[in-house]
């Protein structure tokens, strides 16, 4: 029995008809770039997140970028974020001309450690971007308190956390803005590239709508230099269909995480994810930690069980950020976890049998010491 890391086909099959209808409607109305299907999805996603506004864009990277630019962040500014994330979080900061400043993460949730923020603040700090890694939200209250005291913007990178909660509030709705990726493999994934920013700040929303559309609010009346960061009509229509299924899919992921948790409980040398008491994890990624990561991944692959690594190199040690001069040991918690993470197969349609097989093979492999 093969266990793929992700099976997008299994998710597509039961909604095939709904998707075909949605695409057909876009074709009939030739509403390809932005337009009514994107506007409809924006309305629905705002209601889902519990925010007033949503700006749909072309990717999660663009979501972060228009949010930062919307707050006026640029050259000379510093933005605090974490090193254990996908590079896009830092890239968006860099592409605004600002500098990413990293703080280490919590060893249990792998999210921004609020106690580390103080030492990273400087007069140039303008914003904080906590990343809700793997589908679990960062501890937002202490982050918000620091931000309010220093008049900093908080931009949530919720790219991996559609529907996750913190003290009953949805990811993206707690900071000044929340950024989402709808990359196909995400909990809410488009059938191509897409992203969005959610906010309750009307001025920010207006600015981001112009930024994504060449700096215009009225066609050909460009107020400033923007960019083309619009969402496709077809992606908007597909996302509207898929959003209706998201709560059930997230529950499926949570159920599967609970099964993994039971089966892997007490296995020596394996650390399973912990759900923080303050929130609801949506398990975009089910990352365990083991000492001999490479041996485990290749032994599982031999059994046709396929894993991932998110992410093998923390951002501060990537060649792309060599210029920031962070050596090894700068952020020890992020570095240690990056060297041990293994992302097990995780998606809503994964069967109990498949999970049992992954757990059994994994236990057998870790029980045998490396020669
Ligand atoms: C935490 C995080 N931030 C940002 C992004 C960028 O999103 P996109 O690939 O849609 O540009 C991703 C996507 O993988 C992500 O996981």
């Amino acid at each position: 029995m093969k266990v793929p890391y992700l099976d997008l086909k299994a998710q597509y099959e039961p909604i095939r008809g709904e998707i075909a209808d949605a695409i057909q409607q876009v074709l009939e109305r030739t509403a390809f770039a932005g337009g009514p299907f994107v506007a409809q999805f924006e309305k629905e996603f705002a209601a889902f997140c519990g925010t007033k506004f949503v700006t749909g864009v072309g990717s999660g990277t663009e979501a972060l970028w228009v949010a930062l630019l919307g707050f006026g962040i640029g050259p000379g500014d510093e933005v605090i974020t974490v090193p254990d994330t996908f590079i896009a979080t830092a890239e968006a900061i860099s592409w605004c001309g600002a500098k990413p400043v990293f703080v280490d993460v919590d060893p249990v949730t792998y999210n921004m450690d609020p106690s580390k923020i103080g030492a990273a603040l400087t007069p140039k700090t303008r914003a904080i971007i906590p990343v809700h890694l793997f589908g679990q939200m960062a501890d937002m209250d202490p982050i918000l308190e620091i931000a309010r005291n220093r008049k900093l913007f908080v931009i949530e990178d919720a790219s991996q956390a559609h529907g996750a909660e913190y003290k009953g509030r949805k990811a993206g709705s707690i900071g000044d803005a929340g950024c989402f990726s709808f990359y196909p493999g995400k909990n809410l994934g488009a059938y191509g590239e897409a992203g969005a920013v959610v906010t309750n700040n009307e001025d920010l929303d207006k600015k981001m709508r112009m930024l994504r559309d060449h700096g215009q609010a009225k066609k050909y009346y460009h107020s400033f230099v923007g960019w083309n960061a619009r969402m496709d009509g077809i992606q908007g229509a597909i996302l509207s269909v898929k959003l209706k299924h998201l709560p059930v899919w997230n529950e499926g992921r949570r159920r599967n995480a609970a099964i993994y948790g039971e089966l892997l409980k007490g296995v020596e040398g394996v650390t399973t994810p912990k759900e923080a008491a303050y929130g609801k994890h949506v398990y975009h990624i089910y990352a365990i930690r083991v000492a001999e990561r490479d041996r485990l991944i290749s032994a599982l692959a031999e059994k046709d069980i396929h894993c991932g690594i998110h992410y093998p190199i923390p951002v501060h040690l990537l060649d792309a950020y060599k210029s920031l001069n962070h050596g090894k040991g700068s952020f020890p918690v992020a570095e240690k976890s990056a060297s041990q993470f293994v992302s097990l197969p995780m998606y809503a349609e994964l069967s109990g049998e498949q999970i049992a097989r992954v757990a059994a093979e994994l236990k057998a492999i870790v029980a045998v010491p490396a020669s």
Side-chain angles (χ1 to χ4, degrees), residues 157-173:
D157 185 342
S159 295
Q160 302 188 2
H162 318 72
E165 289 178 15
Y166 179 80
K167 301 185 180 173
R169 293 168 71 192
K170 287 261 169 48
S173 70

Side-chain angles (χ1 to χ4, degrees), residues 307-318:
C307 299
I309 302 176
H310 302 88
Y311 297 90
I313 305 173
V315 178
H316 68 285
L317 295 179
L318 289 171

